[in-house]
């Protein structure tokens, strides 16, 4: 709340402009100054400065509300409480979809569809309230140059063909998605800190960062002295500001996280289980039930970061065409699992395969084992080497294996 802009603290425009010339733009900047410094920069008396301090303090102080008031607000306007994913079973478990006013993390190995999910949610946020959307704009911070405007249009046209039935509607939707390519931690943090006014002016209803882990991994080697503290500071400041924006404007914030695998004296095909832990070395079985031959598994952000996000969805490989979506952490949902495929319309759940009310071994979502692509590849190798029951030649079996790989 301290990051709130002074202009929104109901100070006069003249005073805000005067403070801005001294690089004092947020409530935090203002409250960190002494009375003498404030008298100097505002040109006001001691008594008037004290009144300003009280006014700014009240403006950025969190307002108490009862559980009844929170429940009433959601029941009166349920569309403002969640952004539907249009994945019916997932929405049902999450009580409506991706929650507004909080941070949702999507974490997975490469190729499971994190960016596909984000692009799909970008389309859905622009829809009218009557269709489960938020009728607003989207800010998409792309740190990996992975966003595709062509894919955005393809998902929109295939997922909602009756609504996006003209080029004009598609054009209007694409103009509502504002994409920024920020490739360093400094530029990402600067962008986050400047979003408040943009949310108001552009009527933004969804913020996506894909991915916050990418810039962190490139710039912070935790083995170097001091880097761990700097990384923690960056993540804490970013998460704090994003939480404030989510709560202040009652919008969902979606972030993607990455998973990395390090091996030692072990073929890559054995790296079938990893865990979103923070710089954590795991021996066989230490990852909560998963077996590994050797090596260590890490995630770009991990355990400390997992406390900052309110909801965590994990995407993992199941077999070659099918992936699995896990609701690993949620204030409203039990642990649940769903099978899905990635198609022209985005993520599509597989009917009859949903698994709900399951339990996960262990209670820490940052230590949950995740199946990576190697598992699917290993199964394909095993299938391709089985004796053929359809008179396939070895070369045909090899070609079948290659075709399976092409599904990715």
């Amino acid at each position: 709340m301290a990051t709130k802009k002074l202009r929104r603290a109901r100070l006069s425009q003249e005073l805000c402009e005067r403070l801005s010339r001294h690089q004092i733009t947020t409530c935090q900047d203002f409250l960190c100054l002494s009375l003498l410094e404030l008298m100097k920069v505002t040109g006001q008396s001691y008594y008037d400065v004290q009144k300003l301090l009280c006014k700014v303090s009240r403006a950025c102080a969190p307002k108490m509300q009862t559980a009844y008031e929170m429940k009433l607000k959601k029941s009166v306007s349920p569309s403002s409480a969640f952004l539907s994913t249009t994945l019916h079973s997932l929405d049902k478990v999450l009580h409506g979809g991706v929650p507004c006013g909080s941070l949702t993390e999507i974490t997975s190995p490469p190729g499971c569809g994190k960016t596909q999910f984000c692009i799909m949610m970008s389309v859905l946020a622009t829809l009218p309230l009557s269709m489960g959307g938020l009728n607003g704009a989207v800010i998409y911070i792309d740190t990996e140059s992975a966003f595709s405007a062509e894919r955005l249009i393809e998902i929109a046209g295939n997922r909602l063909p009756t609504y996006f039935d003209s080029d004009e509607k598609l054009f209007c939707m694409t103009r509502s998605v504002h994409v920024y390519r920020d490739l360093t931690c400094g530029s990402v943090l600067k962008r986050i800190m400047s979003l408040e006014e943009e949310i108001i002016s552009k009527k933004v209803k969804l913020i996506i960062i894909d991915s916050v882990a990418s810039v962190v991994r490139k710039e912070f080697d935790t083995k170097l002295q001091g880097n761990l503290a700097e990384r923690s500071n960056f993540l804490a400041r970013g998460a704090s500001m994003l939480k404030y924006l989510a709560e202040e404007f009652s919008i969902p914030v979606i972030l993607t996280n990455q998973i990395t695998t390090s091996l030692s004296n072990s073929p890559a095909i054995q790296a079938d289980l990893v865990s979103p832990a923070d710089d954590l070395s795991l021996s066989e079985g230490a990852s909560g039930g998963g077996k590994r031959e050797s090596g260590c598994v890490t995630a770009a952000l991990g355990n400390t970061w997992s406390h900052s996000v309110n909801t965590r969805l994990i995407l993992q490989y199941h077999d070659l065409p099918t992936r699995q979506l896990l609701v690993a952490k949620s204030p409203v949902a039990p642990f649940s699992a769903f099978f899905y495929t990635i198609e022209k319309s985005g993520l599509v759940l597989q009917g009859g395969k949903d698994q709900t009310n399951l339990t996960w071994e262990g209670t820490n979502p940052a230590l949950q084992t995740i199946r990576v692509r190697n598992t699917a590849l290993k199964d394909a190798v095993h299938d391709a080497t089985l004796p053929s029951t359809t008179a396939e030649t070895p070369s045909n079996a090899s070609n079948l294996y290659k075709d399976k790989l092409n599904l990715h």
Side-chain angles (χ1 to χ4, degrees), residues 82 85 89-99 311 313 327 329-330 332-333:
F82 298 95
T85 66
S89 299
L90 177 61
D91 285 346
K92 185 176 179 180
V93 166
L94 293 176
H95 293 208
V98 175
T311 303
L313 304 180
V327 181
K329 177 185 178 183
S330 169
V332 298

Side-chain angles (χ1 to χ4, degrees), residues 42-97:
T42 62
Q44 298 191 16
S45 67
Y46 176 83
Y47 177 72
D48 289 336
V49 166
Q50 281 190 317
K51 288 200 298 184
L52 283 175
L53 278 171
C54 291
K55 188 173 185 178
V56 173
S57 297
R58 284 194 297 268
C60 68
K63 293 178 176 60
M64 185 278 295
Q65 56 181 330
T66 65
Y68 175 75
E69 290 171 335
M70 296 173 67
K71 177 66 176 175
L72 186 62
K73 182 180 178 182
K74 290 185 178 180
S75 62
V76 170
S77 181
S79 60
S80 64
F82 298 95
L83 170 58
S84 171
T85 66
T86 65
L87 304 173
H88 178 71
S89 299
L90 177 61
D91 285 346
K92 185 176 179 180
V93 166
L94 293 176
H95 293 208

Side-chain angles (χ1 to χ4, degrees), residues 115-310:
T115 299
Q116 303 297 314
F117 182 88
C118 290
I119 293 176
M120 184 178 79
M121 296 308 293
S122 298
V123 172
L124 299 176
T126 66
L127 296 176
L129 298 177
S130 59
M131 295 184 64
L134 297 176
N135 193 30
V138 178
I139 289 181
Y140 195 117
I141 300 176
D142 180 14
T143 68
E144 298 182 297
S145 300
F147 180 86
S148 169
E150 290 77 15
R151 182 61 174 142
L152 180 78
I153 294 171
E154 183 181 40
I155 289 177
N158 285 277
R159 197 168 198 88
L160 300 154
T162 56
Y163 180 74
F164 293 107
D165 56 357
S166 66
D167 291 342
E168 183 180 355
K169 283 188 176 180
L170 285 170
F171 177 70
C172 184
M173 181 273 296
T174 57
R175 289 194 64 181
S176 297
V177 181
H178 306 277
V179 182
Y180 296 101
R181 288 210 164 98
D182 295 304
L183 306 179
T184 66
C185 288
S187 62
V188 169
L189 190 59
K190 185 177 180 181
R191 181 74 61 191
I192 292 172
M193 294 299 179
S194 67
L195 286 180
E196 187 170 358
E197 293 180 359
E198 197 165 356
I199 289 172
I200 298 170
S201 63
K202 294 179 179 177
K203 298 182 180 179
V204 171
K205 296 297 183 180
L206 172 65
I207 297 173
I208 294 175
I209 302 182
D210 181 26
S211 81
V212 69
S214 176
V215 291
V216 171
R217 287 179 57 200
K218 286 186 289 187
E219 294 191 30
F220 296 108
D221 183 352
T222 55
K223 295 178 182 179
L224 299 179
Q225 187 175 4
N227 268 10
L228 185 58
E230 288 184 29
R231 187 183 74 160
S232 297
N233 180 57
F234 165 77
L235 293 174
R237 290 183 64 192
S240 176
M241 184 61 184
L242 289 170
K243 276 196 170 184
Y244 160 70
L245 294 173
E247 293 173 6
E248 181 71 10
F249 298 100
S250 189
I251 60 176
V253 175
I254 298 176
L255 313 116
T256 64
N257 192 0
Q258 298 175 335
I259 295 167
T260 60
T261 308
S262 301
L263 299 174
S264 58
N265 301 322
S266 173
I269 203 70
Q270 296 171 345
D272 57 356
L273 292 175
V274 298
S275 165
D278 194 5
D279 301 314
L280 196 67
S281 294
L282 298 179
S283 56
E284 183 179 47
S287 57
K291 290 185 178 181
R292 291 180 53 80
E293 298 296 329
S294 62
C296 70
V297 291
T298 62
L301 302 181
N303 197 26
T304 303
W305 174 257
S306 70
H307 292 289
S308 299
V309 297
N310 305 98

